[in-house]
């Protein structure tokens, strides 16, 4: 500092590089502010370069402060063109309202994240209600594939459908016999991956799976935990169709024998349903 003299500060405008260094703005940003008319163009020196004086520099610092506070460039322009302080106060009041709303959204988001972490949903695919239901039921967090299925089920059929699935899993934990049977049937289904379509195990799986599902329904009704029939009146039919298509577009496709076994199982369950409820249009 001792080497500086008063004459060094007289009539010595700054270059755009020096202004960038002073304000921490990039030269590109400064030029952009000039282009959109937010900051007046400074004069030029003999070489045609921009020469910044106090007026332009303080305007840049003011714009920097306003944008750091959260004002959009358009709002900064309005503030710059304001004819009295009340207009600026109005803009700042609106900004404060917007920031408060963002703060509340962030608070809610952090609360959900904290709860999901507490419930141990490693991949975060569950909604809060489903994660809480798993915890309340004392169930282990399922694998990624089941979580993906539940996420799609919620999107197409609503959270209640996913909660019914959790309730069904919790019920099976109270019935070791039914749990052992579905484990056996799952193994049988996996065996069909290398089987021929006309393998007798195809029909065996379909018959036994239909019997198993009927047994589960009867056990749930006896225990008073049978989910009510889903209300599809307000469901998006197109969404359900696309959801079913998405479920069918799994990376690992069933083998021809497995696909045939599932078709036969559905035929049997639908036949039982129509036998109990009657076919549509029947008198």
């Amino acid at each position: 500092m001792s080497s500086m003299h008063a004459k060094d500060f007289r009539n010595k405008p700054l270059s755009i590089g020096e202004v960038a260094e002073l304000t921490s703005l990039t030269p590109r940003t400064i030029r952009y502010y000039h282009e959109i008319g937010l900051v007046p163009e400074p004069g030029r020196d003999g070489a045609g370069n921009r020469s910044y004086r106090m007026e332009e520099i303080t305007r840049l610092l003011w714009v920097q402060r306003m944008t750091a506070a959260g004002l959009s460039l358009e709002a900064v322009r309005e503030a710059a063109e304001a004819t009295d302080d009340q207009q600026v106060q109005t803009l700042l009041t609106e900004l404060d309202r917007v920031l408060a709303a963002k703060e509340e959204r962030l608070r809610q988001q952090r609360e959900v994240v904290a709860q999901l972490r507490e419930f141990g949903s490693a991949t975060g695919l569950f909604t809060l209600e489903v994660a809480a239901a798993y915890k309340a039921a004392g169930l282990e967090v399922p694998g990624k594939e089941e979580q993906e299925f539940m996420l799609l089920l919620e999107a197409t059929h609503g959270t209640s459908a996913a909660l019914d699935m959790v309730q069904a899993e919790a019920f099976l934990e109270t019935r070791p016999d039914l749990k052992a049977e579905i484990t056996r049937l799952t193994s049988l289904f996996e065996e069909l991956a290398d089987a021929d379509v006309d393998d007798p195990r195809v029909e065996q799986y379909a018959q036994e799976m239909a019997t198993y599902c009927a047994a589960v329904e009867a056990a749930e009704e006896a225990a008073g935990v049978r989910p009510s029939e889903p209300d599809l009146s307000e469901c998006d039919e197109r969404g359900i169709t696309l959801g079913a298509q998405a479920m069918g577009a799994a990376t690992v496709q069933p083998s021809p024998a497995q696909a045939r076994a599932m078709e036969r199982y559905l035929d049997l369950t639908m036949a039982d349903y129509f036998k109990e409820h009657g076919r549509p249009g029947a008198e």
Side-chain angles (χ1 to χ4, degrees):
M1 291 292 292
S2 60
S3 63
M4 292 186 178
H5 301 283
K7 63 180 181 180
D8 293 327
F9 298 95
R10 296 174 187 161
N11 196 27
K12 193 174 182 181
L14 275 64
S15 67
I16 190 170
E18 291 170 328
V19 173
E21 183 179 354
L22 175 66
T23 62
S24 298
L25 295 169
T26 65
R28 182 177 180 180
T29 298
I30 295 173
R31 294 190 190 95
Y32 177 67
Y33 287 165
H34 292 323
E35 290 173 10
I36 64 176
L38 197 57
V39 177
E41 279 274 4
R44 304 272 177 166
D45 61 16
N49 298 316
R50 292 182 176 89
S51 297
Y52 290 84
R53 296 185 178 277
M54 185 173 177
E55 180 182 359
E56 295 88 28
I57 296 170
T58 54
R59 180 63 171 266
L60 281 166
L61 289 168
W62 177 80
V63 170
Q64 183 185 42
R65 175 169 294 181
M66 293 296 101
T67 54
L71 282 174
S72 66
L73 291 181
E74 186 57 38
V76 174
R77 185 194 303 279
E78 290 182 38
E81 296 174 353
T83 56
D84 58 62
D85 186 61
Q86 184 56 45
Q87 289 177 271
V88 177
Q89 287 296 326
T90 299
L91 285 170
L92 293 176
T93 298
E94 174 61 16
L95 173 61
D96 186 61
R97 185 194 67 77
V98 171
L99 291 176
K102 288 182 178 179
E103 186 176 53
E104 175 60 18
R105 286 196 297 272
L106 285 173
R107 186 195 65 78
Q108 293 174 353
Q109 289 171 340
R110 291 196 66 190
E111 181 178 321
V112 170
V113 168
Q115 289 174 317
L116 285 174
R117 290 178 64 188
E118 178 187 353
F119 294 136
S121 180
T123 61
L125 291 173
F126 286 163
T127 57
L128 183 58
E129 294 88 346
V130 175
Y134 267 100
K135 183 179 181 181
L139 297 172
E140 293 184 4
V141 176
K144 186 173 181 290
E145 288 186 4
E146 186 173 344
Q147 289 193 39
E148 290 174 344
F149 172 79
M150 294 288 274
L151 180 67
L152 190 55
L153 183 65
E154 282 191 83
T156 55
H157 292 74
T159 301
S160 60
L163 293 175
D164 286 343
M165 290 284 291
V166 177
Q167 178 179 297
E169 289 184 34
F171 176 71
L172 283 182
E173 291 297 319
T174 69
R175 292 292 302 267
D177 56 329
L178 294 175
K179 188 175 181 181
E181 178 63 4
I182 190 59
T183 300
R184 185 186 69 82
L185 288 170
T186 300
S187 297
L188 177 58
F189 184 77
E190 291 173 351
E191 291 174 9
L192 296 177
D194 300 319
D196 295 328
V197 175
D198 56 358
D199 190 300
R201 289 176 296 174
V202 169
E203 185 64 21
Q204 176 191 348
Y205 172 84
Q207 294 281 350
E208 293 180 354
M209 190 64 182
T211 300
Y212 167 78
C213 289
V216 170
E217 290 182 9
E220 287 177 337
E221 289 177 359
V225 296
R226 179 70 183 157
S228 58
E229 290 293 328
D231 181 10
L232 302 179
S233 60
E234 296 183 3
C235 289
D236 179 3
E237 183 177 348
R238 176 62 174 167
I240 293 176
T241 301
L242 291 175
Q245 184 177 339
M247 291 178 186
T251 303
V252 180
Q253 292 291 317
S255 70
Q258 289 174 326
R260 179 56 182 159
M262 287 189 290
E263 289 174 4
R264 282 291 299 135
Y265 158 69
L266 290 174
D267 288 343
L268 292 169
T269 53
M270 291 306 294
D272 289 340
Y273 177 86
F274 289 135
K275 184 178 181 180
E276 180 181 349
H277 296 84
R279 292 186 177 276
E283 296 182 358

